[in-house]
Amino acid sequence: MSQSINARRKLNPLQKLPLLIWLVLVWGALWQDFSAGNLLFGALIALAVSQVFYLPPIELSGRFNVLQAVIFLLWFLKQITVASCQVLYWAVAKGPKIRNAVIAVPLRSPSDLLMTAVGHVLSLIPGSLVVEVDRGCATLYVHAMNAPTPESVERVRTGIQDIEARLITVMGTKEELAELRSERTGASMVAYADILKSPDQQKDVGEGQ
């Protein structure tokens, strides 16, 4: 058992590279400091974490759209600005009367990379925070501010699923991108949790056991 764990820890450095890059970027975003010194310190911490703790290798989709990444970055900066103004308004106008909610948000993709990316984007936008992740059914549980009605809860859920859709256009698989395009032509969104609930999937799981 211990030998298998040690073997998994001795991963090819290229397998760890996407994770290390992501950890360094998150470090810079959390400190709001992308100076060379701070990123170098973050890289040292990321290396230490990846050596001490076993972290599963990130499975890449094999595609990355630079143009969509730039569009996403501009959209993300806009969302931070708008959300900051909203939170300020809620704090001044509503104060303790504001009603928050913890919302279950099923995602399309079971990819650890996409779930992590969506979670970090949410945590960096004021007014929302991921409190729990259910990897088994690709569902995020998000604490959202100012969600007093079922309509507002659904609006938050749809907004988070839109973040996932934007990230799929950046780095999702070809299959996920095809499903996303079918949604834009009128098809309903199919969450991974719904796929697990389907009779065919449950039959496959039962046969596997």
Side-chain angles (χ1 to χ4, degrees), residues 78-94:
K78 175 187 173 183
Q79 290 299 114
I80 290 179
T81 303
V82 172
S84 298
C85 295
Q86 285 180 334
V87 170
L88 177 62
Y89 170 75
W90 293 336
V92 174
K94 296 186 177 182

Side-chain angles (χ1 to χ4, degrees), residues 133-150:
V133 178
D134 187 341
R135 289 182 62 210
C137 60
T139 300
L140 303 181
Y141 293 88
V142 180
H143 180 274
M145 294 181 64
N146 195 36
T149 64

